[in-house]
Amino acid sequence: MNETSAQTVLDSLPPEAQTVRNFLDASMKPDPDLAATFMSDDVVITFTDGQKYDHPSGTTAFNAARYKWVKKKFGQFDVVKYDGETVVYSIGWLYGEWPDGTAFDGNRYVDRFVIKDGKIVKMDVWNESAERILVRKGIQA
């Protein structure tokens, strides 16, 4: 997909999905303070380790310990409106480098966001990194 068609896809997303995409773009820089502008002041982020964070800086620190760097390839954004809230699922793949510099790609992820009044109020994160880490250590996942 070229840059023009990627921008067309972004422009065609519902506003709540655009908020999520903007948040994810800021998170991947990483710029946790910019990412926080898309979240409510009382956001709850539940990350892959089950730990809860109240600011994107928590997840940035977690990722800095797990990866040398990590980015997302976006697959799809599913949007469901319900009772004054909107749920957005971002589904795709992680790619990057492990701390030792070994490249990885194709690591599936699902992020679930709850949007209320234009801000992310809840985020849940799942991906296959733990399984891939086990395999790298010779443990069958």
Side-chain angles (χ1 to χ4, degrees), residues 12-126:
S12 68
L13 292 174
E16 297 88 353
Q18 287 180 1
T19 296
V20 166
R21 175 65 192 264
N22 291 336
F23 164 80
L24 291 171
D25 285 342
S27 296
M28 287 189 295
K29 286 184 180 185
D31 186 341
D33 291 327
L34 176 59
T37 65
F38 301 101
M39 303 187 121
S40 69
D41 292 337
D42 59 348
V43 69
V44 176
I45 305 166
T46 305
F47 218 55
T48 57
D49 62 345
Q51 179 68 37
K52 296 198 183 300
Y53 301 99
D54 61 4
H55 190 275
S57 59
T59 59
T60 298
F62 178 88
N63 281 341
R66 179 171 272 191
Y67 310 104
K68 186 171 185 179
W69 63 271
V70 63
K71 304 285 184 206
K72 291 185 176 184
K73 290 180 189 174
F74 301 116
Q76 66 193 54
F77 292 88
D78 295 333
V79 179
V80 178
K81 294 180 183 263
Y82 178 76
D83 199 27
E85 296 180 338
T86 303
V87 175
V88 177
Y89 290 92
S90 172
I91 302 166
W93 303 268
L94 301 177
Y95 67 99
E97 290 183 9
W98 299 113
D100 68 1
T102 303
F104 68 89
D105 196 355
N107 181 339
R108 295 179 305 168
Y109 81 86
V110 175
D111 293 342
R112 180 184 184 270
F113 299 86
V114 177
I115 311 290
K116 191 167 185 174
D117 299 325
K119 296 281 188 173
I120 299 166
V121 298
K122 184 171 179 17
M123 177 182 177
D124 296 291
V125 176
W126 298 275

